[in-house]
């Protein structure tokens, strides 16, 4: 009896053929790690140098400042307002027009609380100059208001404030808590009458740092080793599990991952890469070349040679990254770093049985 081939059978056959072709392609084109090309029957196993940075994927917990109200610098009728939920604006950009006079947003670490005239001194003047210096590196931070500072201010705000006299007027400036802010809600509207000091805009919470959640099985590095957090192209040193580097926070806030996290922080994972600032010099060898005795691990330079005690650091793809166990080295010179050969010998059961006990090498 002749069997009929159905459309469903043909589909299954086609899928099987495509899967086989994909498998063949991957097997033929995916690069094979250098250590994995060793003959399974070979007793001489290569050892290669490898930098070990103890890299971990860690969960990040942004620490945010509460929302801040941006206040009207003067009284009058609002004739123009840059406000809408999610809208962003930066320092030295126009933000509101009151009675036909445009006001400029300005960030400084110390909020301005007075007009600044020539020869005014104080921490607020230093903070003012530091903020301007971020836009014009030629400016000197002196803590004293001078002609140089006034000229830079006029140059940067001319398109907004127009011609100004020799006093930097507080009623021209809307202080903002960061170089760039995002609008949460608008506290007023176009055409409304407002009094100086009343809220104009409420900002979204601002990131002030990042807390790092380490894996439960994480073991810190050697004393003195520093760890850093990397995200996208930014990297910053971690201190006590916390980072407040502006460039790294900026990279996080500008990422799609952060946008998704901000929508549902309790349900979305935000992660970064936590690793050594300076990688250790280490080695990689096939895991089958390592002999163990309880909690101790060894490699054999030769079948007759004395075993070298090692400290495994990580394992991947059938190979292990390790460093010499300096403190508990089984070689005669216990406190010296043993030389690691370019090849080691595959341990036999007899060689493994003769390994020294961990206790005898303490």
């Amino acid at each position: 009896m002749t069997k009929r081939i159905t459309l469903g059978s043909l589909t299954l056959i086609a899928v099987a053929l495509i899967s086989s072709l994909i498998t063949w392609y991957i097997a033929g084109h995916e690069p094979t790690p250098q250590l994995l090309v060793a003959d399974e029957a070979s007793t001489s196993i290569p050892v290669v140098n490898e930098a070990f940075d103890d890299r971990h994927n860690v969960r990040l917990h942004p620490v945010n400042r509460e929302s801040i109200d941006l206040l009207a610098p003067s009284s009058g009728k609002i004739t123009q307002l840059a406000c809408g939920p999610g809208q962003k604006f930066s320092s030295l950009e126009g933000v509101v027009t009151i009675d036909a006079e445009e006001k400029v947003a300005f960030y400084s670490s110390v909020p301005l609380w007075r007009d600044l005239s020539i020869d005014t001194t104080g921490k607020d003047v230093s903070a003012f100059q530091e903020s301007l210096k971020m836009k014009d590196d030629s400016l000197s931070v002196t803590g004293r208001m001078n002609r140089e500072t006034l000229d830079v201010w006029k140059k940067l705000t001319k398109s907004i404030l127009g011609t100004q006299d020799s006093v930097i007027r507080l009623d021209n400036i809307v202080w903002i808590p960061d170089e760039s802010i995002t609008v949460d809600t608008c506290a007023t509207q176009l055409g409304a009458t407002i009094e100086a000091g009343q809220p104009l805009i409420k900002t979204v919470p601002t990131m002030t740092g990042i807390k790092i959640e380490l894996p439960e099985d994480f073991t810190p590095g050697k004393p003195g080793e520093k760890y850093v957090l990397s995200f996208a192209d930014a990297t910053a040193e971690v201190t006590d599990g916390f980072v407040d580097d502006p460039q790294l926070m900026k990279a996080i806030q500008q990422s799609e991952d952060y946008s998704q996290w901000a929508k549902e922080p309790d349900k979305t994972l935000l992660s970064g890469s936590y690793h050594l600032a300076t990688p250790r010099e280490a080695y990689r060898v096939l895991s089958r070349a390592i002999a163990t005795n309880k909690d101790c691990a060894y490699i054999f330079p030769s079948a007759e040679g004395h075993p070298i005690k090692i400290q495994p650091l990580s394992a991947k793809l059938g190979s292990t990254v390790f460093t010499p166990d300096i403190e508990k080295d089984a070689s005669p010179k216990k406190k010296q770093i043993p030389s690691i050969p370019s090849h080691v010998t595959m341990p036999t059961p007899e060689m493994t049985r003769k390994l020294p006990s961990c206790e005898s090498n303490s």
Side-chain angles (χ1 to χ4, degrees):
M1 187 173 81
T2 304
K3 291 186 178 181
R4 301 175 65 183
I5 299 177
T6 65
L7 180 60
S9 299
L10 287 172
T11 301
L12 290 174
I13 293 170
V15 170
L17 285 171
I18 293 171
S19 298
S20 299
L21 286 170
I22 292 173
T23 302
W24 168 83
Y25 180 85
I26 292 174
H29 292 78
E30 189 174 79
T32 303
Q34 180 182 351
L35 291 167
L36 301 185
V37 299
D39 188 340
E40 286 293 327
S42 175
T43 59
S44 180
I45 308 297
V47 179
V48 297
N49 294 81
E50 180 167 312
F52 175 72
D53 63 5
D54 199 18
R55 190 172 294 266
H56 296 267
N57 195 46
V58 295
R59 187 167 189 172
L60 307 181
H61 298 279
V63 178
N64 292 329
R65 180 194 297 133
E66 293 182 358
S67 296
I68 289 178
D69 288 329
L70 306 185
L71 306 179
S74 61
S75 302
K77 186 176 182 178
I78 296 177
T79 51
Q80 187 174 338
L81 178 63
C83 184
Q87 183 172 344
K88 298 178 184 291
F89 59 86
S90 302
S91 185
L92 295 171
E93 289 184 0
V95 60
V96 64
T97 302
I98 300 176
D99 284 345
E101 288 188 357
E102 193 168 8
K103 311 300 181 181
V104 64
F106 186 70
Y107 161 75
S108 60
S109 58
V110 178
L112 287 180
W113 54 273
R114 57 180 173 171
D115 293 343
L116 300 182
S117 56
I118 299 297
D119 290 334
T120 303
T121 61
K123 291 182 179 179
D124 55 340
V125 178
S126 295
F128 184 81
Q129 291 174 326
E130 287 169 356
S131 294
L132 290 181
K133 188 175 178 65
M134 290 191 290
K135 304 294 184 180
D136 187 335
D137 193 54
S138 66
L139 180 65
S140 300
V141 178
T142 63
R144 179 180 293 276
M145 186 65 190
N146 52 30
R147 180 61 58 181
E148 179 191 13
T149 304
L150 182 63
D151 289 344
V152 171
W153 169 258
K154 287 183 176 181
K155 180 182 70 174
L156 293 173
T157 61
K158 184 177 181 180
S159 63
I160 301 170
L161 301 180
T163 303
Q164 303 175 65
D165 54 27
S166 59
V167 176
I168 295 174
R169 291 166 41 200
L170 186 62
D171 62 6
N172 277 334
I173 298 171
V174 177
W175 179 80
I176 60 176
D178 292 283
E179 290 184 61
S180 177
I181 68 99
T182 302
V183 176
D184 185 13
T185 58
C186 306
T188 187
Q189 59 186 354
L190 187 66
T193 298
I194 197 166
E195 295 294 326
Q198 286 186 337
L200 283 169
I201 294 168
K202 182 179 286 293
T203 67
V204 298
T206 304
M207 185 185 297
T208 58
I210 299 288
K211 286 185 178 178
I212 297 171
E213 182 181 327
L214 295 174
E216 292 182 0
D217 60 350
F218 175 75
T219 302
K222 301 175 183 178
E225 285 186 318
K226 295 181 179 180
Y227 281 80
V228 295
L229 177 67
S230 294
F231 190 98
D233 295 330
T235 298
E237 186 175 332
V238 178
T239 303
D240 297 328
F242 189 78
V243 179
D244 59 1
D245 179 77
Q247 294 305 315
L248 187 133
M249 290 191 293
K250 182 178 181 180
I252 292 174
Q253 288 178 298
Q254 292 179 342
S255 70
E256 179 62 27
D257 288 348
Y258 180 77
S259 297
Q260 295 301 319
W261 175 88
K263 293 176 183 177
E264 294 184 300
D266 295 330
K267 298 180 180 179
T268 308
L269 178 66
L270 182 65
S271 62
S273 184
Y274 182 73
H275 56 94
L276 286 168
T278 304
R280 295 181 209 162
E281 293 184 6
Y283 304 87
R284 184 181 287 274
V285 71
L286 287 174
S287 299
R288 58 190 174 94
I290 298 174
T292 58
N293 181 13
K294 294 185 179 179
D295 294 328
C296 298
Y298 298 86
I299 54 174
F300 290 86
S302 65
E304 297 78 23
H306 197 76
I308 298 173
K309 184 177 284 187
I310 63 171
Q311 180 64 53
L313 301 175
S314 68
K316 183 180 180 181
L317 296 174
S319 63
T320 298
V321 177
F322 70 92
T323 56
D325 192 328
I326 301 171
E327 290 76 18
K328 300 180 180 180
D329 173 30
S331 66
K333 296 179 180 180
K334 290 189 176 183
K335 296 301 179 183
Q336 294 185 6
I337 302 176
S339 176
I340 301 298
S342 61
H343 286 73
V344 293
T345 297
M346 176 69 67
T348 63
E350 180 65 19
M351 293 163 69
T352 302
R353 280 195 296 271
K354 291 181 178 180
L355 285 173
S357 66
C358 291
E359 292 76 12
S360 66
N361 293 284
S362 307

